[in-house]
Amino acid sequence: MISNTTASYGRVSRFFHWSIALLVLADIALGLIGKFTPRSGDTVGFLQLLYSAHKTIGMTVLALAMLRVIWAISQQRPVPLHPERRLETFAAETAHWVLYAAIFVLPLSGWVIHSAEVGFAPIWWPFPQSLPFIPKSERLAGAAANVHWIAGIVLAAMVAAHIGGAVKHALIDRDGTLARMWNGRAAGKAATHPGKGASVFAAIGIWTFAIGGALTVFAPAHIVEGASHLPAQQTEGWVVQEGSLSFTITQMGAEVTGGFANWQADIDYDEVTGTGTVKTVIDTTSLTLGSVTDQAKGPEFFDVAVHDTAVFQGDIVQIDGPTHRASGSLTLVGQRVPVTLDFDLEVTGGTATVFGGTGLDRRDFGMGAAYPDESSVGFSVEVQIELVATKTE
Ligand code: HEM
Ligand code: HEM
C-alpha cells in the first residue's frame, strides 16, 4: 500500500524513513571521520573528497526531508502499540519530533557553514553551493559549525535511543513496532492516538536548549573574525598606517583569497629620483586561507613550523608617473626566487598610497609537490598588496 493507515506505514513513508536513516547514519560517520582526521598536506585531498560527499549526502537528506514532511502532513499516523504506557509513548514520540527537526537543523547549519566559509570542498551537482543572504564570514561559519556540532550530538543521542527503543520492541516486547516500519505489516488497534502537544513541546524545548546553548554558553571563545588589520609600523622613511597583503589561488576550480595579518615593510623612497628600496618581512604563522588555513600552514605548503617568516627584498624604480617596479627576491619556505612587483605609487602631501601585485608559481618554491597538476590546487598565485604610508620627518 502506498499510504499509511492508523495501523501501518505505507510504502512512501517507509521509503522516506529508511533512505533518510541510511543517509543520516552515513553522514554522521563521514562527519566524525572528517573531524578526527589530522589536517596536513597529505590528507587535504582525502578530506576534500570526504567533505564533498558529506555535504552532498546532507543536501540529499534536506531534499528528502522536505518531501517527507509534505507527505506526512497528508497522511494518517499509525497509533502507538501501547498507548497505556504513557511515559514510553511520550518519550518515543518526543524522539520522533526531535529527529524530524534534526533532518532540517543539521543540513541547514551545514549549508550555512559552507556558504559562510571560503573555499574547500564543494557540494556536488545538482545542489546549489550557497544559501542566499549568507555573507562570507569566519565568525558566522564558526557559530554555524558549533550549532552543527551540538545538533549532531543531539541527533546521535536521539538516534541511539530510537534504535534502542526499536530493538526493545522487537526483542523484549516482541510486538509489531519494528515490523510495521520494516515491511509495512499492520499492528496496533486503530483506536486512540494520544495528543501530540506535550511531545512536540518537549522536542521544541530540546532544540531551543541545544541551539541556544550552541550560540551562547557552549560557543568556543576562539570564534573571532579573521584578523586583517595591520598595526602602525615604524619604518625608516615611511610609516605604514594601514594595508593588506593578500593572495588568490585557484582551488578545485574556484578562486580562494587569503592573506597575512602580520607583516612589516621597511620602505626607503626618494620622491625626486623615483628610486628606493623595500624590505618586507612576513610572519607566515599569521596566514589565513579560509577553511584550508591549517593545510596551507602545513608541511606541504607554507610549512610555518619550520619557516615562520618570508622576506621580499627589492629595489624600487619609477617606470612612468605613478607606475613603479620593485625588482628583487622573495624567500619563502627556504627558497629564494627572483620576483618583480609592479605597483602604482601616489604621494600626496606626505602620504603614499601603494597598490600593486605580482604573479608567482607555487612550483618555483616547491610548494604542493604532492599536487603535480592543477586539479586540486592551481600553480599560479596572484599576490596583491595595498598600503598607505606617511613620511617621517
Ligand atoms: C543529515 C545531515 C548531516 C549530518 C548528520 C551531519 C553531521 C556532521 C557531523 C557529525 C560532523 C562532525 C562534527 C563537526 O565537526 O561538527 C559534521 C561536520 C561538518 N559538516 Fe555536517 N552533517 C550533515 C549535513 C551537512 C551539510 C548539508 C553540510 C554542508 C552543505 C555539512 C557541512 C559540514 C561541515 C563543513 C563540517 C565540518 C565542521 C567543522 O569543521 O567545524 N554537513 N557534520
Ligand atoms: C537503523 C536505525 C533505525 C531503526 C531500527 C528505526 C526504527 C523505527 C521504527 C520501528 C519506527 C516506527 C515507530 C512506531 O511506529 O512507533 C520508526 C519511526 C521513526 N523513525 Fe526510525 N529508525 C531508525 C533510524 C532513524 C533515523 C536515523 C531517523 C532520523 C534521523 C529516524 C526517524 C524516525 C521518525 C521521524 C519516525 C516516526 C515515523 C514517521 O513519521 O516517519 N529513524 N523508526
Side-chain angles (χ1 to χ4, degrees), residues 287-302:
L287 166 75
T288 47
L289 184 58
S291 57
V292 280
T293 299
D294 290 345
Q295 286 94 325
K297 285 180 173 175
E300 187 63 44
F301 292 95
F302 282 87

Side-chain angles (χ1 to χ4, degrees), residues 89-103:
T89 306
F90 167 75
E93 301 246 304
T94 302
H96 293 169
W97 293 117
V98 171
L99 290 171
Y100 260 119
I103 57 181

Side-chain angles (χ1 to χ4, degrees), residues 113-240:
I113 312 176
H114 179 76
S115 306
E117 74 186 0
V118 181
F120 207 35
I123 302 170
W124 289 323
W125 189 86
F127 300 106
Q129 294 298 325
S130 291
L131 273 163
F133 311 119
I134 301 288
K136 295 280 177 214
S137 149
E138 270 184 49
R139 183 193 288 268
L140 180 61
N146 208 37
V147 169
H148 201 64
W149 170 236
I150 304 277
I153 294 174
V154 171
L155 168 68
M158 275 307 144
V159 169
H162 180 72
I163 295 177
V167 170
K168 171 191 168 279
H169 280 287
L171 299 184
I172 298 175
D173 299 340
R174 292 176 183 276
D175 63 18
T177 306
L178 183 55
R180 76 176 179 177
M181 185 48 99
W182 185 246
N183 55 26
R185 197 180 308 153
K189 281 195 239 27
T192 44
H193 216 306
K196 59 184 176 199
S199 54
V200 170
F201 191 71
I204 292 173
I206 290 172
W207 278 115
T208 307
F209 179 72
I211 297 178
L215 295 173
T216 54
V217 278
F218 309 135
H222 65 261
I223 296 177
V224 286
E225 197 76 61
S228 59
H229 290 294
L230 182 74
Q233 291 162 8
Q234 190 66 46
T235 69
E236 255 174 53
W238 297 81
V239 180
V240 177

